[in-house]
Amino acid sequence: MRYIFLLSMVFLWACSAKEKEVRIENKKTLPVTEKKSDMQAEDELLLSDQQIQLGNISVDTMRSGSTGNQTVLNAVLTFDQSRTSAISSRVMGRVDLLYFKNIGDYVSTGSKLYEIYSEELNNAKEEYLLIIRSRNTLISNSAVDYNSLVQSSQNKLKLWGMSSAQIAQLVRSGVANSTTTVYSTGSGYVTGLEVRQGDYVMEGGTIVQLADLSAVWAEAQVFTSQFSQLQQNAAVTVRIHELGDEAINGTISFVNPEIVPQSGINLIRVAISNRDNKLKPGMQAYVYLSNSKTSSFTLPVDAVIRDAKEAAVWIK
């Protein structure tokens, strides 16, 4: 078994004053001790245990292993567009109160989102209460199917954004408030506010845009010469400098089929999980693409001594 010395510069200092200089095959001049035997070749050094200890010399073994290289791509974290949503008004009216007013606020499903004043919705609530009262009073001697009217009126209120709990509260109170509370149908961080308090909104007008950050994209640019390394759904590693270069596993979820003609650059997206919400859109990232590996003998990189002409190792 062959062994490899890991040398340090302390070796030169550690050698004895009685050493003489000899030239070895690579024409370097190194201090060595006197030959102890005629069997010692010219390119060999004979060191005592003390010299090995003072020279901080260690020994390692060449092993069979695999070698390969990695391609590193610069990337930027962005929102996962498949996890974004927009909450729109289902009825025309005036937004009297916004419960979330800042970009970055977190909105949970079922939380109060805004209060709206809508004449159409208020008329529908009054109509529903009137049908309820008529049914309770005239159902015994009327040919009108009030149950169908109640159901139809109730469906209209739900279509315009009222929940079953709100409708039940409306029946219990018997009073139609001038404003109606609208609850969020989704969850996520506020990425866009399209209205302010006091603004009028049309039916279908966007109130707020939300983004779920439980997963994000790392978008990276790839040159055409690197296409051979890309494979849909391939596993890659993403590192974020702001997080201490922690390795995050991801998969290539999208490879843009269109290439920029002037630069020959393509775009890929890597989907990564964001369980602790540490990843923020806009962060700089590095995407590591691993190439195929080959079998070979390996040795520690510190064992290789390099200069301008060659690289060499010492063998025990």
Side-chain angles (χ1 to χ4, degrees), residues 114-128:
Y114 63 96
E115 301 275 351
I116 189 170
Y117 170 81
S118 171
E119 292 186 4
E120 286 183 311
L121 184 54
N122 289 342
N123 291 336
K125 290 192 288 186
E126 292 288 358
E127 177 185 308
Y128 180 69

Side-chain angles (χ1 to χ4, degrees), residues 165-184:
Q166 286 177 298
I167 296 173
Q169 177 60 32
L170 175 64
V171 174
R172 286 193 298 268
S173 65
V175 178
N177 295 328
S178 59
T179 61
T180 303
T181 303
V182 178
Y183 296 85
S184 176

Side-chain angles (χ1 to χ4, degrees), residues 135-191:
R135 183 189 64 175
N136 295 339
T137 304
L138 304 173
I139 192 171
S140 59
N141 55 0
S142 174
V144 179
D145 186 1
Y146 281 101
N147 290 329
S148 297
L149 293 177
V150 168
Q151 187 63 47
S152 177
S153 182
Q154 187 180 100
N155 291 339
K156 183 189 294 185
L157 295 178
K158 289 182 178 180
L159 182 64
W160 283 351
M162 292 187 66
S163 64
S164 298
Q166 286 177 298
I167 296 173
Q169 177 60 32
L170 175 64
V171 174
R172 286 193 298 268
S173 65
V175 178
N177 295 328
S178 59
T179 61
T180 303
T181 303
V182 178
Y183 296 85
S184 176
T185 56
S187 63
Y189 291 90
V190 177
T191 59

Side-chain angles (χ1 to χ4, degrees), residues 77 213 216 218 238-249 272-286:
L77 299 188
L213 293 181
V216 295
V238 179
R239 296 182 184 272
I240 314 295
H241 179 69
E242 289 88 341
L243 302 180
D245 289 333
E246 177 185 356
I248 304 172
N249 296 326
I272 54 178
S273 177
N274 187 20
R275 296 178 182 176
D276 299 328
N277 288 326
K278 294 180 180 179
L279 307 180
K280 308 296 181 184
M283 281 184 171
Q284 298 295 316
Y286 299 98

Side-chain angles (χ1 to χ4, degrees), residues 13-14 22 38 40 43 47 49 56 59 61 72 74 99 103 169 174 184 207-208 214 225 236 251 264 279 302:
W13 168 81
V22 296
D38 293 337
Q40 182 177 344
D43 58 352
L47 303 177
D49 293 340
N56 193 26
V59 178
T61 308
V72 183
N74 292 322
Y99 289 97
I103 300 295
Q169 177 60 32
S184 176
I207 303 295
V208 64
S214 60
S225 60
V236 298
T251 55
L279 307 180
D302 293 341

Side-chain angles (χ1 to χ4, degrees), residues 22-41:
V22 296
R23 292 190 175 273
I24 58 176
E25 289 181 353
N26 61 4
K27 306 305 181 182
K28 290 183 179 179
T29 301
L30 294 175
V32 298
T33 58
E34 293 289 347
K35 282 191 177 183
K36 300 301 181 180
S37 172
D38 293 337
M39 298 299 292
Q40 182 177 344

